Amino acid sequence: MGKVDPAFIQEPEHRPRISYIEGEGFPLIDLSPLHSNNVSAVEGLVKEVGKACKEWGFFQVINHGVPLEKRQKIDSDSRKFFEQSLEEKRKVRRTEKLVLGYYDTEHTKNVRDWKEVFDIAVEEPALIPASPDPDDKEITELYNQWPEYPPELRETCQDYGQEIVKLARKLFELIALSLGLPADRFHSFFKDHNSYIRLNHYPPCPTPELALGVGPHKDGGALTILAQDDVGGLEVKRKDGEWVWVKPTPDAYIVNVGDIIQVWSNDKYESVEHRAMVNSEKERFSVPFFFNPAHYTIIKPLEELTNEQNPAKYRAYNWGKFTASRRRSNFQKLNVENLQISHFRISD
């Protein structure tokens, strides 16, 4: 990735500023009340989570319960994997058929991202529709590809996956309560969840003013939980349209609402645009976890949150078919916009 191929160059309106604007007031939420019997502290926590989801769509959490050594281990093994030669990494390269594994030519909104990734399903086999065709009932079983080095990567990712799923479930209980729903309201959607861990490596970029590690996008799934290193690079689009930099907080996780929560909440909580900057001097590593429901889940506004005054704002869609359609653009530059939840919006 030494010289800049035109495929990486963002349209002028999406090119980043090199000077950061730090996100003042970016919510930092202490989850320690979850480990206590203090009812009023938990109620306060629920309010904080609701406020963060409503005002930012993003927040950071500390005292989250994920053991630090598991996080350090996945970070260390990720670095070991990406340090290898391209030839070694490409032995576990993902393809349109093998959609898990290593990849270095991902596109966001049809512009190539300045990064390389390694994708791992948390539950094996991961079940997904074979095609976006609504009449095609065939289901594909996906299995992880594991590199020879580092040999412990499989065990590391499995251990980490168990911990991060526990955190995701806790966060969903808080989100449910903040919407006035029972704490377990969302659990049934994730019985056969289709979640994955991604290892990201952003090499130094000679033209950080032209390229992005990940272009501006919203997450199509339910909830994203991101571990980022101390280099940082995540930028979030504030409600006023300003891009703000999220300063790394040691051992914290950054959590964001995905499109599915936007639909379930009938726009009460909004999935927010974000992007990843690159750095001309330093490489950056991050580990996002994407918590997604089972492939057969029908996504639509929850009945408890809609009524005559506040009718459903989205038509129902099948989560698996939605992702099958989106996946096509990872391997080819399409001439059409990727499928978005806006395509299911019911016009007023």
Side-chain angles (χ1 to χ4, degrees):
M1 289 186 174
K3 67 180 193 325
V4 176
D5 183 304
F8 289 106
I9 295 175
Q10 294 285 331
E11 292 296 326
E13 67 271 22
H14 293 311
R15 289 176 195 170
R17 282 182 318 267
I18 294 311
S19 58
Y20 291 151
I21 296 178
E22 199 174 309
E24 293 294 323
F26 190 85
L28 179 65
I29 298 176
D30 184 347
L31 295 183
S32 53
L34 288 179
H35 318 299
S36 73
N37 292 319
N38 187 329
V39 175
S40 65
V42 173
E43 285 173 354
L45 183 56
V46 168
K47 285 197 180 101
E48 274 189 87
V49 167
K51 187 169 188 276
C53 288
K54 201 174 178 64
E55 294 180 2
W56 284 83
F58 269 82
F59 52 96
Q60 292 194 79
V61 293
I62 53 173
N63 296 318
H64 41 68
V66 177
L68 182 58
E69 65 273 13
K70 303 240 164 151
R71 175 154 165 184
Q72 289 171 333
K73 188 77 177 71
I74 200 167
D75 178 66
S76 154
D77 286 355
S78 170
R79 289 167 189 263
K80 286 177 188 171
F81 172 75
F82 287 121
E83 277 167 5
Q84 297 181 101
S85 69
L86 195 54
E87 184 186 10
E88 278 303 309
K89 290 181 283 197
R90 283 186 168 166
K91 285 179 182 173
V92 287
R93 184 177 170 81
R94 78 183 203 207
T95 63
E96 288 197 60
K97 293 278 181 269
L98 292 167
V99 302
L100 297 165
Y102 173 76
Y103 202 58
D104 60 349
T105 53
E106 188 154 273
H107 289 70
T108 300
K109 302 281 175 71
N110 285 330
V111 181
R112 191 169 161 192
D113 296 328
W114 189 272
K115 66 169 180 178
E116 49 181 351
V117 306
F118 188 83
D119 285 339
I120 304 121
V122 174
E123 299 283 341
E124 269 190 296
L127 303 178
I128 62 163
S131 80
D133 179 354
D135 297 322
D136 183 355
K137 305 298 181 205
E138 189 185 342
I139 298 298
T140 301
E141 292 187 347
L142 301 180
Y143 292 89
N144 287 316
Q145 301 188 76
W146 296 107
E148 287 179 27
Y149 181 83
E152 68 277 12
L153 184 63
R154 180 180 202 150
E155 189 182 344
T156 297
C157 290
Q158 286 169 341
D159 287 352
Y160 183 79
Q162 286 180 336
E163 295 295 338
I164 205 78
V165 166
K166 279 188 218 163
L167 174 58
R169 291 189 191 281
K170 278 189 236 168
L171 290 167
F172 251 111
E173 289 184 357
L174 292 169
I175 289 168
L177 290 167
S178 76
L179 289 165
L181 303 167
D184 64 356
R185 177 63 178 89
F186 295 105
H187 287 348
S188 62
F189 295 123
F190 296 94
K191 187 163 92 40
D192 304 313
H193 66 96
N194 209 338
S195 307
Y196 66 100
I197 294 166
R198 168 168 284 180
L199 310 180
N200 277 330
H201 174 226
Y202 302 91
C205 176
T207 55
E209 72 285 355
L210 295 179
L212 284 165
V214 186
H217 68 288
K218 299 179 179 187
D219 290 350
L223 198 69
T224 304
I225 303 176
L226 172 75
Q228 68 167 343
D229 65 11
D230 58 1
V231 174
L234 174 68
E235 283 199 323
V236 173
K237 197 173 196 177
R238 252 188 348 217
K239 295 277 171 138
D240 62 4
E242 191 70 69
W243 284 102
V244 295
W245 185 66
V246 181
K247 184 180 179 183
T249 299
D251 308 331
Y253 281 106
I254 298 165
V255 180
N256 67 283
V257 163
D259 287 348
I260 289 177
I261 290 181
Q262 179 168 330
V263 174
W264 277 338
S265 74
N266 206 33
D267 282 355
K268 187 163 186 185
Y269 296 159
E270 193 181 335
S271 174
V272 170
E273 210 169 14
H274 52 287
R275 65 188 185 185
M277 309 279 280
V278 282
N279 193 299
S280 60
E281 293 157 21
K282 296 176 182 172
E283 60 184 343
R284 174 182 178 239
F285 295 87
S286 70
V287 183
F289 163 73
F290 301 97
F291 195 41
N292 296 327
H295 72 88
Y296 52 75
T297 307
I298 301 299
I299 309 296
K300 60 182 182 179
L302 298 179
E303 288 171 10
E304 304 96 309
L305 301 178
T306 57
N307 54 39
E308 272 186 51
Q309 289 73 43
N310 183 31
K313 297 186 166 93
Y314 297 90
R315 299 193 315 277
Y317 64 92
N318 176 286
W319 167 241
K321 294 296 184 184
F322 181 84
T323 51
S325 172
R326 293 265 285 234
R327 216 167 29 246
R328 291 178 307 160
S329 68
N330 287 340
F331 298 93
Q332 55 195 309
K333 184 163 178 170
L334 302 177
N335 293 322
V336 293
E337 186 190 10
N338 220 338
L339 191 62
Q340 309 287 341
I341 56 168
S342 56
H343 294 126
F344 298 95
R345 185 177 277 283
I346 297 166
S347 54
D348 297 328

